[in-house]
Amino acid sequence: MLDGFTILAGYVSSETGGGGIMIQGASPLIEGCRFVHNLAGFAHGGAILVANGSPTIRSCEFTQNYAHLGDGAGIEISGASAPLIEGCRFSGNIAVGSDPTGDGAAISNHSSLPVVIRSCVFEDNVARNFYSAGDVDLAWGGAIFNMADGMIV
């Protein structure tokens, strides 16, 4: 259990990801935490990367996290993951990528299992492509990008 922590200015530069926390094959409870100014450079999950895990992420704040050339500046979900995300606030997160990345500034989901997002607030999150085509931005999901079946919002 991780309760009441602030994770500030975490950084990862690899193909794995998780600038603040990487959850691999685990199901922790993360509650009342703040994730601020974390960076995944050339990777996914600016604040948190969930890979083959089922964490409960409750009453947390994700503020100004960044995924550079990756997805999910707040949370990236991949593999066989079934997280519960509830009562969280996502604000000012930015995902910048080059096709096919840069999607889901707050949350990006590529999981093969159901993901539940309940009672969350999303404000001022931006997904954009590093290489825009004129006035057209080629990234998707300023708040949530879902590339899988079974997401419950």
Side-chain angles (χ1 to χ4, degrees):
M1 175 182 196
L2 192 61
D3 186 8
F5 281 83
T6 295
I7 297 179
L8 174 67
Y11 174 75
V12 66
S13 178
S14 69
E15 291 183 15
T16 55
I21 296 176
M22 180 180 179
I23 300 168
Q24 174 71 45
S27 301
L29 170 61
I30 301 171
E31 188 166 23
C33 293
R34 295 179 62 233
F35 296 86
V36 183
H37 295 288
N38 297 289
L39 168 63
F42 304 96
H44 305 295
I48 297 177
L49 172 66
V50 179
N52 301 312
S54 299
T56 296
I57 302 169
R58 182 179 295 132
S59 301
C60 293
E61 294 180 24
F62 295 83
T63 306
Q64 296 178 347
N65 297 288
Y66 191 75
H68 178 73
L69 298 181
D71 297 331
I75 301 173
E76 164 69 18
I77 305 161
S78 65
S81 298
L84 167 62
I85 303 165
E86 68 178 347
C88 294
R89 176 178 294 275
F90 296 83
S91 62
N93 299 290
I94 300 172
V96 176
S98 69
D99 193 37
T101 64
D103 301 320
I107 299 174
S108 180
N109 178 40
H110 297 91
S111 175
S112 61
L113 297 175
V115 172
V116 177
I117 302 170
R118 184 181 304 144
S119 300
C120 292
V121 175
F122 299 89
E123 58 189 8
D124 300 323
N125 299 288
V126 177
R128 63 178 290 269
N129 196 286
F130 191 74
Y131 302 103
S132 294
D135 290 334
V136 179
D137 218 344
L138 303 174
W140 298 282
I144 300 171
F145 176 76
N146 183 45
M147 191 67 165
D149 291 332
M151 178 177 272
I152 302 167
V153 180

